[in-house]
Every structure is written in C-alpha cells, then in structure tokens.
C-alpha cells in the first residue's frame, strides 16, 4: 500500500477490531555474522528468541519430474508419494500414496518422516521412521533413489540470513518503539548492524505496511524504532504485545537493501513462521473457561471408541460403524446432535496422544507429548523436570545383531518383569536409571539427570532383518541423552544375551514431560479415567484425572463407572479394540467390536448422565490399516442439545449433523455448556 494512503490505512486499522496478525519484515545486511547461528534477543522475563540460519533442501533424482526439487522452509511440510495430491509426486508403483513427508524440526533442520508407508522409507540403506537430512544422504523410496543437498539460501550473503523460528511472544518492554534514532552500532564484522523493517497488520484479508528502523546492539539486543511519521503505530503494537494477542505470525523475508540502510528495497522471497506465544489461542480458551466455569451436580461422560471412524471397502459401501448393528447408539442419535470432529488439523493423521489431548480440550500442536511419558504415567511413575522417559520393547536379535522379532514373541509379563528387574540394576555415571515393566514385551525406562533433552530418534527400525538404529539426538541436550541411551543398550545387550527371545530391546517415544494445566483447574470438574491400557491411563493422569481400577473388560469398566458415579463430575471411558482391529485391517472384527461398544450404552443410560458424548480420538479404517486424517463421527446427547433429524449414528449422518465439522479441542466447551457449567461471556 502506498505511503500517501496513510489516513486510509489508519482508519482501516482502527475499524478492524479483534485479533491482529503482525508480520515483521527484516530487510538487512549485518544482522548476524557468518559464524553466528543463535542469538538471544532482548532477554526479558526469561523470554528468549532463537536466531537460526535459513537453509534450502534440494532433492535430485531421475524419478522426479524435472530431475530435482528445491524446498525452502516456507514450503514445508511437503508430502512425497505417488498420489497426484502429494506435494512431490513420484511415479513409482512401490510408493504409498502418502509415503513420507519432509518437515522442519525444532532444531531448524530438514527432517524426513515415514508416513506408515507399505515399503518403508530408507535413508543411507537404513529403514528410518524419521531422519535429519544432510548433504550426501541417499533416500530410497520404492525403486526411486534420491540424492540430498542442504545449502544456505543462495540469494543471501551469510550475514543476511535471518531467523527461522520465534518460540514465544516477548512482553511489551522488549519492544523499544521510540522516535527515530538514526545511529547504528557495529556488529563487529565491519558491516553496519542496521536493518530496515516493515510491519504488516492484516485484518479481513487486507494488508497494511509500515516502515521501521532496527538496531542491533553490541550485546545482541534488538530494538525497533518507528519513523516519526508512523509513530502512532507504536502505541498499537505496544498494546497488542502487552496483551499477548494470540495467533500472531511473523514473516522474515529473505531480502537485501539496495543502497544500505536508507536505500531501495529489493524483495527476494518470504519465509513464514508462527510466533507461538506463551498465551496462545488454547491458553486463552483455558483462561476463558477458568472465568466462565460454574459448579453444579451435573455428570458428563466421554465414551471414546479408539479409532472409531472408518471407510467403506468399496465405493458406495458402508463404513464399519454403519455396518455394525448399533441400536443403542442409533437411539441416542435420535435424541442428540451429530457432527464430525477434526483431531488436530484437516489432513493430519494423529497418534493416540494428540487425538486424546484434543478431546480433553488441549491444543495437540502445543502439547506434543512423547509416548515414553504417557507409558510412564500410565504405570503411575512420577516424572520430574529432570526425567526423560522412554517406551522400550523387548526384541529378539540373531548372532549378527539383526532383529528377528520386534516384540520378542510377545514374551509373557512374568518373564518380562523379571528381565526389567535385571535391567533396573544398570548403572551409568551421573544418571539415575529406572526400568519398570508395563505389559508383556513393553517396558518404561527413565533417565534422571540435569541437562537432558527429549528429542532423540527412536531405535526401533520398524522392520526385521536389520539391526536396531543408533540413538541420535537432534540438539545438544538430546545428544547427551542419546549417548546415555547408547550406553544403556550396550549394558542391556550383555545382561540379556542369554535370555532369548528377549535378548535385546528397542527404544521409542523418548521424551520429557511438558508443563500442562490440570483438568480441574481449567474446567472446574473432578475427572476420573476408566481405561485399561497404560498409555490412555497416562494421558488421563497427564491432565490430572484420577485413575480408577478399570479391570480388564468393558463390563468391568461399566461396574467401575457405577461404583464411582457419585464421586466425580466427569468420566473418561476408553475402549481400545475399535482401533486395534482397524490397524489389523480386519473390517469384520472392527464391526463386532463396534457392536460391543454399543452394548454398554444401556448401562450408561441407567445412570442418567447430564451429557453423554460418544466419539473417537481418530479414525482407523480397516481399509487403510492405520490411523487416518478423516474426521471422526461424534454424538452429543443432553436435555439442552438441539436434536438432528437423523435416526442413526454413522459417518454419513454425522457429516450433515448439527454440530458440523469442528476441531476436537472445542468439544469440551460443548460438553460444559450442555451440562450448565459455563457462564455467559461478556456483558
């Protein structure tokens, strides 16, 4: 927008209430020296911004349409597969439709991740669930061999490369928005440490641009100084930042100035990032629920059929849920509202962890919980801030160290628990080691020490005939953890060498527990979980639910519900087998398990809950034999809901239900409101 439209700009800005999206365009040379890869910018109240070099990824292969594909961070994530809808389409019949994807990980590196492909993702002759890509790596997808090059963006001098990610939004006092001060300090490299910047305030699809100056001080602090004729913007920005407006995005364009700090601007390309505030959108929702929550005698039941959603086996056919004989669910559908919940985001196939966190009302993108943490919490292991938790699987290896059975023949719990007792005696200098049995071939390992990171690659190669992968950390703290993992595995191999079939173990879901607000804190309800499997008990414990003795069968779970009915306001009931049968590709068995899920509805109805919700954490179609991205059929029943005209519960009816399609993280708001537990927002 032209500068002579300043009056129109100001009016347009003030007439656009609500959330602002602020885009900072850093247009400079001399922001960072070639040797510098991280910079702490204006450290205030423990807020730290990271400066990471921008890179470009080049994939080279005869199997690619033009011989090579270049990917920059703003083009990620990018899906590779044989589907025409993939970001990088590869004409290879051995590829899955969505075979793998390339993302930018938390350390700013390009990473390839397998998407549960049929024929695996091979990097440097190793099957990998994920792998940080480096120059010289060779990827094999089906019969297609791809060479990898990772380079700095060629349009930039090293001193012009700028930030990749801002982790948190700084407080207002980190932004020095003052009258113009046309003095600039040296960065130490001989170049002026100045930068022109522009701020774009976007609302209702209209963009407004403002010109700024920026200083980089000798101690690494950055302040932004508005030109005097845009000084009125300073109050707006200071106010916005002080209130931690959620949803702010930042674009750092890779640009250079034409004639130094006062010269013309020559646009290059943009690199978009999300500025994640410590008070982002979901935290604001929890702040809202804290204010609006009301106490009463209502009871809410969240009945989760894991992987409930499905697909027909042929066009025009019925899904597993629609095929099943579910008279009780159909009767509820006549009283309730139907809809389709999106576990994470459209097109994203979630794991069980993110899927359940969304149902509990927690943003799964913000709270990325590792499998090891969930397994540890599921067996009542109390995790601390210095702990790294790991899900371990006993496995069988041959004389060459290659895996012949990834689950050690599903070794019995009696045998595995004794092996865990032996491994619990492993000692590593400077580290406390805990090994606890979970169930059958599964165990939990916890390392406790200062300075450990939780971003370590799994050692399970996800196939037999190859050795376990070496643990690899994706940042310095996590590399320290990886070295501890390697030492543990070395000692474990010696201890277990005579215990075939469980003569080694693999590690998965290596992670630390993040801080997370409790269920009762944000919703004002006393919540209990009735779940059999440790992982789901761990998920519930993570958000502060009480874990009840669920027994082993769905009938046991119903008995537990009745016994504890008067002690809690909210019950989470979990049923696993609609998921496991889908992953097995057994359509008929998933139908039977869905009918089993339906059979317990009368026991729940007899307790007369105020609100009952029946849904899944994700879809697991038997047709795909895996978790999928499809929205999940959801049924909500209460005396205050608005009933649909539908008479059955299934994907087809849910698509046109009154709840519409919604992100699962908002389901708790619907539950609370239908239970009379939410007050009015605003005057």
């Amino acid at each position: 927008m032209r500068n002579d439209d300043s009056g129109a700009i100001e009016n347009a800005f003030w007439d656009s209430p609500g959330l602002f999206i602020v885009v900072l365009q850093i247009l400079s040379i001399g922001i960072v020296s070639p040797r510098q890869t991280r910079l702490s910018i204006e450290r205030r109240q423990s807020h730290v911004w990271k400066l990471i070099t921008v890179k470009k990824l080049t994939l080279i292969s005869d199997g690619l349409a033009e011989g090579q594909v270049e990917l920059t961070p703003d083009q990620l994530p990018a899906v590779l597969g044989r589907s025409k809808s993939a970001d990088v389409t590869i004409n290879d019949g051995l590829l899955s439709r969505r075979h793998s994807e390339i993302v930018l990980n938390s350390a700013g590196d390009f990473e390839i991740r397998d998407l549960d492909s049929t024929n695996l993702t091979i990097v440097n002759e190793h099957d990998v669930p994920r792998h940080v890509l480096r120059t010289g790596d060779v990827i094999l997808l089906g019969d297609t061999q791809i060479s990898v090059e990772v380079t700095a963006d060629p349009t930039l001098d090293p001193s012009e490369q700028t930030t990749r990610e801002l982790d948190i939004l700084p407080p207002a006092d980190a932004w020095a928005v003052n009258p113009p001060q046309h003095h600039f300090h040296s960065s130490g490299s001989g170049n002026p440490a100045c930068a022109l910047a522009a701020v774009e305030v976007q609302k209702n699809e209209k963009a407004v641009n403002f010109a700024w100056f920026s200083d980089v001080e000798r101690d690494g602090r950055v302040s932004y100084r508005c030109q005097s004729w845009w000084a009125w913007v300073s109050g707006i920005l200071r106010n916005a930042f002080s209130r931690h407006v959620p949803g702010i995005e930042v674009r750092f364009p890779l640009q250079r100035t034409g004639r130094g700090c006062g010269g013309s601007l020559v646009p290059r390309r943009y690199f978009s990032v999300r500025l994640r505030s410590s008070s982002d959108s979901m935290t604001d929702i929890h702040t809202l629920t804290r204010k609006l929550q009301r106490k009463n005698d209502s009871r809410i039941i969240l009945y989760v059929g894991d992987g409930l959603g499905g697909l027909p086996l042929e066009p025009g056919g019925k899904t597993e849920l629609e095929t099943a004989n579910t008279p009780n669910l159909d009767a509820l559908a006549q009283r309730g509202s139907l809809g389709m919940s999106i576990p994470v985001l459209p097109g994203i196939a979630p794991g069980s962890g993110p899927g359940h966190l969304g149902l509990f009302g927690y943003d799964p993108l913000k709270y990325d919980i590792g499998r090891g943490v969930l397994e540890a919490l599921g067996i009542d292991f109390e995790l601390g801030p210095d702990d790294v938790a790991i899900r371990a699987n006993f496995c069988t290896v041959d004389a060459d160290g290659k895996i012949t059975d990834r689950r050690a023949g599903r070794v019995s719990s009696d045998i595995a628990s004794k092996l865990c007792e032996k491994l619990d005696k492993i000692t590593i200098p400077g580290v406390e080691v805990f090994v606890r049995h979970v169930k059958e071939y599964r165990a939990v390992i916890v390392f406790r020490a200062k300075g450990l990171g939780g971003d370590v690659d799994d050692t399970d190669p996800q196939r037999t005939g190859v050795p376990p992968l070496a643990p690899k950390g994706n940042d310095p703290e996590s590399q320290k953890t990886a070295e501890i993992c390697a030492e543990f595995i070395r000692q474990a191999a010696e201890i277990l060498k005579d215990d075939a079939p469980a003569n080694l173990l693999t590690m998965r879901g290596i992670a630390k527990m993040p801080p997370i607000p409790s269920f009762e804190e944000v919703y004002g309800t006393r919540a209990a979980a009735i779940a059999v499997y440790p992982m789901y008990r761990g998920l519930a414990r993570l958000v502060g639910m009480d874990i009840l003795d669920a027994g082993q069968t769905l009938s046991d779970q119903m008995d537990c519900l009745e016994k504890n009915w008067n002690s809690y306001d909210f019950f989470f009931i979990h049923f696993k087998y609609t998921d496991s049968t889908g992953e097995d590709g057994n359509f008929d068995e998933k139908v039977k398990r869905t009918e089993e899920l339906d059979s317990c509805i009368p026991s729940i109805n007899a307790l007369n809950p105020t609100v009952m919700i029946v849904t899944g954490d994700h879809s697991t179609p038997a047709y795909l034999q895996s978790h999928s991205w499809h929205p999940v059929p959801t049924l909500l029943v209460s005396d205050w809901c608005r009933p649909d005209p539908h008479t059955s519960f299934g994907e087809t009816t849910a698509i046109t239900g009154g709840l519409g399609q919604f992100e699962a993280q908002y389901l708790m708001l619907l539950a609370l409101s239908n239970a009379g537990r939410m007050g009015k927002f605003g005057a």
Side-chain angles (χ1 to χ4, degrees):
M1 189 173 288
R2 293 172 53 191
N3 292 340
D4 56 6
D5 291 332
S6 59
I9 293 172
E10 181 170 359
N11 291 334
F13 185 89
W14 286 111
D15 289 339
S16 301
L19 174 66
F20 305 129
I21 297 178
V22 181
V23 180
L24 303 179
Q25 300 180 347
I26 309 299
L27 319 168
S28 68
I29 59 174
I31 291 182
V32 57
S33 68
R35 297 180 300 276
Q36 206 169 11
T37 58
R38 292 197 177 205
L39 182 65
S40 175
I41 302 179
E42 194 67 81
R43 185 186 292 264
R44 299 283 181 95
Q45 300 179 8
S46 300
H47 292 275
V48 180
W49 292 7
K50 298 177 182 178
L51 188 77
I52 303 175
T53 301
V54 175
K55 302 172 184 176
K56 180 182 72 172
L57 175 69
T58 304
L59 304 177
I60 305 169
S61 173
D62 292 338
L64 299 173
E66 298 181 0
Q68 69 177 39
V69 172
E70 293 184 354
L71 295 172
T72 51
D74 57 320
Q75 297 171 301
L76 301 182
V79 172
L80 286 67
R82 60 180 170 83
S83 171
K84 292 183 179 179
S85 63
D87 300 297
V88 179
T89 300
I90 302 174
N91 187 18
D92 185 331
L94 294 179
L95 265 66
S96 299
R97 288 175 293 176
R98 294 167 51 86
H99 196 99
S100 57
E101 69 173 347
I102 295 175
V103 302
L104 202 69
N105 67 18
S106 59
D109 294 320
F110 294 105
E111 183 174 286
I112 189 167
R113 298 179 180 177
D114 186 70
L115 298 178
D116 292 324
S117 62
T118 301
N119 291 318
L120 311 176
T121 296
I122 311 296
V123 180
N124 301 333
E125 300 184 352
H126 291 287
D127 166 28
V128 294
R130 63 180 187 176
H131 177 83
V132 175
L133 295 173
R134 308 292 186 196
T135 296
D137 283 347
V138 177
I139 304 170
L140 183 64
L141 304 180
D143 284 335
T144 303
Q145 182 170 300
I146 304 172
S147 300
V148 175
E149 290 184 2
V150 180
T151 57
D153 194 297
T155 64
L156 293 172
D157 295 332
S159 61
E160 293 178 284
Q161 295 171 16
T162 184
T163 63
R164 181 196 66 82
E165 176 181 350
L166 294 179
D167 288 322
I168 50 178
L169 181 63
D173 61 0
W175 293 78
V177 185
N178 302 316
Q181 299 182 27
H182 299 289
H183 61 277
F184 301 99
H185 301 277
S186 171
S187 63
S189 61
N191 296 323
C194 66
L196 282 175
V199 176
E200 179 183 290
V201 180
Q202 183 173 327
K203 180 68 177 175
N204 297 331
E205 301 180 354
K206 295 180 180 179
V208 184
N209 295 294
F210 308 103
W212 292 75
F213 283 110
S214 169
D215 288 356
V216 180
E217 310 291 351
R218 286 183 179 275
D219 61 0
R221 293 182 300 169
V222 174
S223 60
Y224 294 88
R225 293 181 167 83
C226 177
Q227 295 186 41
S228 57
W229 43 279
W230 286 115
W232 64 272
V233 183
S234 64
I236 298 170
L237 288 176
R238 182 180 289 111
N239 186 40
F241 285 130
S242 67
R243 290 188 298 170
H244 292 254
V245 174
I248 291 181
E249 292 187 356
V250 177
R251 284 184 196 169
F252 284 91
L254 309 184
Q255 299 191 355
R256 73 178 78 216
T257 57
R259 295 188 300 275
C261 289
S264 303
L265 305 179
V266 182
R268 298 292 181 182
R269 72 167 65 95
Y270 290 86
F271 176 31
S272 299
V273 300
R274 167 73 181 270
L275 184 60
R276 296 187 66 88
S277 166
S278 59
S279 299
D280 71 3
S281 58
M282 276 313 299
T283 306
D284 283 345
I285 288 178
H286 284 167
T287 300
L288 190 64
T289 59
R290 287 184 180 97
K291 293 178 180 178
L292 301 183
Q293 62 183 238
R294 298 289 184 268
K295 300 284 187 179
N296 59 29
D297 295 329
S298 63
R299 297 288 186 274
I300 302 171
I301 289 181
L302 177 62
Y303 191 21
V304 177
D306 205 302
L308 182 65
L311 288 173
L313 293 179
E314 56 187 22
K318 293 183 177 181
T319 69
E320 299 93 328
L321 177 58
E322 293 167 337
T323 302
N325 180 25
T326 55
N328 300 303
L329 287 169
D330 293 344
L332 289 179
Q334 296 175 41
R335 297 169 42 205
S337 298
L338 306 184
M340 299 290 271
S341 69
I342 300 170
V344 179
L345 288 173
I348 301 297
S352 293
H356 278 85
L357 284 174
L359 293 179
F360 297 159
Y362 294 80
D363 183 355
L365 294 175
K366 176 178 180 180
Y367 299 105
D368 186 9
I369 314 298
R371 184 71 177 253
V373 169
L374 300 177
E375 294 281 5
L377 295 176
I379 61 170
D380 302 334
F381 190 97
E382 192 73 26
L383 292 173
D386 297 327
D387 292 350
V388 172
I390 302 165
R391 153 79 177 271
N393 285 0
F394 285 106
C395 65
T396 307
V397 295
D398 61 18
D400 296 325
K402 295 180 179 179
I403 296 175
T404 59
D405 191 321
R406 293 177 52 239
R407 298 177 178 85
R410 294 189 180 273
V411 63
S412 71
S413 292
D414 288 342
I415 295 175
S417 61
K418 290 182 175 62
L419 297 179
C420 287
E421 290 175 6
K422 294 168 66 173
L423 296 177
D424 193 45
K425 297 177 182 178
I426 288 178
T427 59
I428 299 175
V431 182
E432 289 186 79
V433 178
F434 306 88
V435 182
R436 300 291 184 267
H437 181 245
V438 177
K439 189 175 183 179
E440 296 177 337
Y441 58 90
R442 300 190 297 275
V444 165
I445 303 168
V446 175
F447 298 139
R448 180 173 295 164
K450 296 288 187 182
L452 299 183
D455 189 5
V456 180
D457 293 346
D458 295 350
T459 70
D460 185 350
Q462 300 289 322
R463 64 169 177 163
T464 58
V466 297
L469 302 173
K472 180 181 178 182
N474 294 305
D475 55 60
E477 294 81 9
S478 299
Q479 184 56 34
K480 179 180 177 182
T481 304
E483 292 167 2
I484 295 170
C485 291
E487 174 59 20
F488 181 93
I489 293 170
R490 185 191 68 78
Q491 294 188 41
E494 181 65 25
I495 292 171
L496 299 174
K497 64 182 181 181
D498 297 324
D499 288 304
N503 58 356
L504 197 59
L505 50 78
T506 57
M507 296 178 167
R508 304 174 64 186
I510 304 168
K512 302 188 73 170
M513 188 172 75
I516 187 168
S518 74
F519 207 80
E520 185 168 8
E521 177 188 354
V522 296
Y523 301 130
T525 62
R526 286 204 64 208
I530 306 175
V532 175
Y533 274 66
M535 177 178 177
Y536 309 100
R537 297 163 67 87
L539 278 161
R541 187 182 299 281
L542 180 71
V543 297
M545 293 187 192
D546 287 348
I547 310 302
L548 304 183
D549 183 1
Q552 293 299 315
T553 67
L554 198 49
S555 178
D556 292 339
Q557 290 175 269
M558 294 301 108
D559 291 341
C560 177
L561 174 65
E562 182 178 2
K563 178 181 177 181
N564 292 278
W565 184 247
N566 294 319
S567 300
Y568 296 92
D569 310 314
F570 181 96
F571 293 89
F572 158 55
I573 306 172
H574 179 266
F575 181 67
K576 173 65 176 176
Y577 299 105
T578 39
D579 176 57
S580 55
T581 50
E583 290 187 324
D584 290 341
N586 194 330
F587 187 97
D588 293 338
E589 189 62 26
K590 183 175 179 182
V591 168
K592 292 178 182 178
R593 290 299 194 170
T594 303
E595 291 173 349
E596 185 179 352
L597 181 82
D598 176 82
S599 69
C600 288
I601 296 294
S603 298
I604 299 174
N605 279 340
L607 297 171
N608 194 27
T610 313
V611 178
M612 178 155 56
I613 296 172
V614 183
T615 188
D617 57 330
H618 53 76
S619 294
T620 308
Y623 180 69
L624 295 179
Q625 300 183 40
S626 66
H627 295 195
S628 78
W629 61 95
H630 300 91
V632 185
T634 301
L635 166 61
L636 185 150
V637 182
S638 81
D639 288 343
W640 294 344
C641 75
R642 182 176 292 158
D644 294 333
H646 298 301
T647 58
S648 63
F649 180 44
E651 285 82 353
T652 302
T653 53
I655 286 174
T656 57
L659 297 180
Q661 287 202 22
F662 60 94
E663 291 186 22
Q665 59 187 316
Y666 300 115
L667 184 60
M668 276 302 301
L669 299 182
L670 295 171
L672 294 168
S673 292
N674 276 275
R677 286 179 170 267
M678 290 280 280
K680 183 178 70 173
F681 172 67

